[in-house]
mmCIF file of all heavy atoms in Angstrom:
data_model
loop_
_atom_site.group_PDB
_atom_site.id
_atom_site.type_symbol
_atom_site.label_atom_id
_atom_site.label_comp_id
_atom_site.label_asym_id
_atom_site.label_seq_id
_atom_site.Cartn_x
_atom_site.Cartn_y
_atom_site.Cartn_z
ATOM 1 N N TRP A 9 1.737 9.714 -5.370
ATOM 2 C CA TRP A 9 2.294 11.026 -5.031
ATOM 3 C C TRP A 9 3.165 11.526 -6.183
ATOM 4 O O TRP A 9 3.091 12.691 -6.584
ATOM 5 C CB TRP A 9 3.097 10.924 -3.746
ATOM 6 C CG TRP A 9 3.506 12.253 -3.165
ATOM 7 C CD1 TRP A 9 3.628 13.453 -3.800
ATOM 8 C CD2 TRP A 9 3.838 12.503 -1.793
ATOM 9 N NE1 TRP A 9 4.021 14.431 -2.933
ATOM 10 C CE2 TRP A 9 4.169 13.884 -1.691
ATOM 11 C CE3 TRP A 9 3.911 11.705 -0.657
ATOM 12 C CZ2 TRP A 9 4.546 14.464 -0.489
ATOM 13 C CZ3 TRP A 9 4.293 12.286 0.541
ATOM 14 C CH2 TRP A 9 4.603 13.658 0.633
ATOM 15 N N ARG A 10 3.988 10.627 -6.726
ATOM 16 C CA ARG A 10 4.874 11.009 -7.820
ATOM 17 C C ARG A 10 4.089 11.385 -9.072
ATOM 18 O O ARG A 10 4.404 12.367 -9.751
ATOM 19 C CB ARG A 10 5.812 9.838 -8.143
ATOM 20 C CG ARG A 10 6.806 10.143 -9.277
ATOM 21 C CD ARG A 10 7.609 8.915 -9.665
ATOM 22 N NE ARG A 10 6.753 7.864 -10.215
ATOM 23 C CZ ARG A 10 6.539 6.690 -9.647
ATOM 24 N NH1 ARG A 10 7.106 6.391 -8.495
ATOM 25 N NH2 ARG A 10 5.747 5.790 -10.219
ATOM 26 N N ASP A 11 3.030 10.623 -9.384
ATOM 27 C CA ASP A 11 2.303 10.823 -10.639
ATOM 28 C C ASP A 11 1.182 11.849 -10.544
ATOM 29 O O ASP A 11 0.928 12.589 -11.492
ATOM 30 C CB ASP A 11 1.721 9.493 -11.126
ATOM 31 C CG ASP A 11 2.803 8.474 -11.461
ATOM 32 O OD1 ASP A 11 3.940 8.890 -11.747
ATOM 33 O OD2 ASP A 11 2.500 7.265 -11.434
ATOM 34 N N GLU A 12 0.486 11.892 -9.394
ATOM 35 C CA GLU A 12 -0.727 12.696 -9.287
ATOM 36 C C GLU A 12 -0.633 13.857 -8.302
ATOM 37 O O GLU A 12 -1.515 14.710 -8.270
ATOM 38 C CB GLU A 12 -1.922 11.801 -8.899
ATOM 39 C CG GLU A 12 -2.109 10.583 -9.794
ATOM 40 C CD GLU A 12 -2.390 10.960 -11.235
ATOM 41 O OE1 GLU A 12 -2.914 12.063 -11.472
ATOM 42 O OE2 GLU A 12 -2.071 10.153 -12.131
ATOM 43 N N GLY A 13 0.395 13.880 -7.462
ATOM 44 C CA GLY A 13 0.549 14.990 -6.537
ATOM 45 C C GLY A 13 0.046 14.695 -5.139
ATOM 46 O O GLY A 13 -0.596 13.672 -4.861
ATOM 47 N N LEU A 14 0.332 15.635 -4.227
ATOM 48 C CA LEU A 14 0.031 15.441 -2.808
ATOM 49 C C LEU A 14 -1.464 15.396 -2.546
ATOM 50 O O LEU A 14 -1.948 14.568 -1.760
ATOM 51 C CB LEU A 14 0.677 16.567 -1.994
ATOM 52 C CG LEU A 14 0.421 16.549 -0.489
ATOM 53 C CD1 LEU A 14 0.962 15.262 0.136
ATOM 54 C CD2 LEU A 14 1.067 17.772 0.172
ATOM 55 N N ARG A 15 -2.247 16.280 -3.175
ATOM 56 C CA ARG A 15 -3.678 16.366 -2.880
ATOM 57 C C ARG A 15 -4.398 15.049 -3.162
ATOM 58 O O ARG A 15 -5.161 14.556 -2.329
ATOM 59 C CB ARG A 15 -4.309 17.490 -3.696
ATOM 60 C CG ARG A 15 -5.809 17.644 -3.476
ATOM 61 C CD ARG A 15 -6.388 18.709 -4.380
ATOM 62 N NE ARG A 15 -7.824 18.814 -4.251
ATOM 63 C CZ ARG A 15 -8.604 19.564 -5.009
ATOM 64 N NH1 ARG A 15 -8.043 20.317 -5.949
ATOM 65 N NH2 ARG A 15 -9.903 19.590 -4.833
ATOM 66 N N VAL A 16 -4.158 14.490 -4.348
ATOM 67 C CA VAL A 16 -4.813 13.238 -4.715
ATOM 68 C C VAL A 16 -4.343 12.106 -3.805
ATOM 69 O O VAL A 16 -5.136 11.250 -3.392
ATOM 70 C CB VAL A 16 -4.539 12.900 -6.194
ATOM 71 C CG1 VAL A 16 -5.086 11.524 -6.553
ATOM 72 C CG2 VAL A 16 -5.160 13.957 -7.095
ATOM 73 N N THR A 17 -3.057 12.096 -3.460
ATOM 74 C CA THR A 17 -2.523 11.052 -2.584
ATOM 75 C C THR A 17 -3.169 11.103 -1.207
ATOM 76 O O THR A 17 -3.542 10.068 -0.641
ATOM 77 C CB THR A 17 -1.000 11.199 -2.453
ATOM 78 O OG1 THR A 17 -0.407 11.188 -3.755
ATOM 79 C CG2 THR A 17 -0.414 10.068 -1.624
ATOM 80 N N LEU A 18 -3.332 12.302 -0.651
ATOM 81 C CA LEU A 18 -3.964 12.425 0.663
ATOM 82 C C LEU A 18 -5.431 12.011 0.606
ATOM 83 O O LEU A 18 -5.940 11.355 1.531
ATOM 84 C CB LEU A 18 -3.836 13.868 1.161
ATOM 85 C CG LEU A 18 -2.419 14.318 1.548
ATOM 86 C CD1 LEU A 18 -2.424 15.794 1.932
ATOM 87 C CD2 LEU A 18 -1.877 13.464 2.692
ATOM 88 N N LEU A 19 -6.133 12.377 -0.466
ATOM 89 C CA LEU A 19 -7.529 11.969 -0.616
ATOM 90 C C LEU A 19 -7.648 10.452 -0.656
ATOM 91 O O LEU A 19 -8.524 9.854 -0.023
ATOM 92 C CB LEU A 19 -8.117 12.555 -1.901
ATOM 93 C CG LEU A 19 -8.672 13.976 -1.857
ATOM 94 C CD1 LEU A 19 -9.128 14.396 -3.247
ATOM 95 C CD2 LEU A 19 -9.826 14.090 -0.867
ATOM 96 N N HIS A 20 -6.741 9.827 -1.405
ATOM 97 C CA HIS A 20 -6.799 8.374 -1.519
ATOM 98 C C HIS A 20 -6.478 7.702 -0.191
ATOM 99 O O HIS A 20 -7.126 6.709 0.191
ATOM 100 C CB HIS A 20 -5.835 7.893 -2.604
ATOM 101 C CG HIS A 20 -5.974 6.436 -2.918
ATOM 102 N ND1 HIS A 20 -5.043 5.500 -2.548
ATOM 103 C CD2 HIS A 20 -6.969 5.752 -3.543
ATOM 104 C CE1 HIS A 20 -5.432 4.301 -2.939
ATOM 105 N NE2 HIS A 20 -6.589 4.425 -3.540
ATOM 106 N N ALA A 21 -5.496 8.234 0.525
ATOM 107 C CA ALA A 21 -5.155 7.669 1.827
ATOM 108 C C ALA A 21 -6.320 7.806 2.800
ATOM 109 O O ALA A 21 -6.623 6.883 3.575
ATOM 110 C CB ALA A 21 -3.910 8.362 2.382
ATOM 111 N N LEU A 22 -6.993 8.951 2.771
ATOM 112 C CA LEU A 22 -8.150 9.152 3.636
ATOM 113 C C LEU A 22 -9.289 8.210 3.252
ATOM 114 O O LEU A 22 -9.972 7.660 4.117
ATOM 115 C CB LEU A 22 -8.612 10.612 3.546
ATOM 116 C CG LEU A 22 -9.793 11.023 4.437
ATOM 117 C CD1 LEU A 22 -9.513 10.711 5.901
ATOM 118 C CD2 LEU A 22 -10.101 12.504 4.256
ATOM 119 N N HIS A 23 -9.473 8.027 1.956
ATOM 120 C CA HIS A 23 -10.499 7.078 1.504
ATOM 121 C C HIS A 23 -10.213 5.673 2.021
ATOM 122 O O HIS A 23 -11.119 4.992 2.538
ATOM 123 C CB HIS A 23 -10.550 7.064 -0.024
ATOM 124 C CG HIS A 23 -11.254 5.858 -0.580
ATOM 125 N ND1 HIS A 23 -12.608 5.663 -0.443
ATOM 126 C CD2 HIS A 23 -10.770 4.761 -1.240
ATOM 127 C CE1 HIS A 23 -12.944 4.509 -0.999
ATOM 128 N NE2 HIS A 23 -11.852 3.954 -1.487
#
Side-chain angles (χ1 to χ4, degrees):
W9 191 338
R10 181 186 64 246
D11 296 337
E12 308 298 334
L14 178 61
R15 179 184 176 187
V16 174
T17 305
L18 290 176
L19 276 177
H20 188 252
L22 182 56
H23 163 69

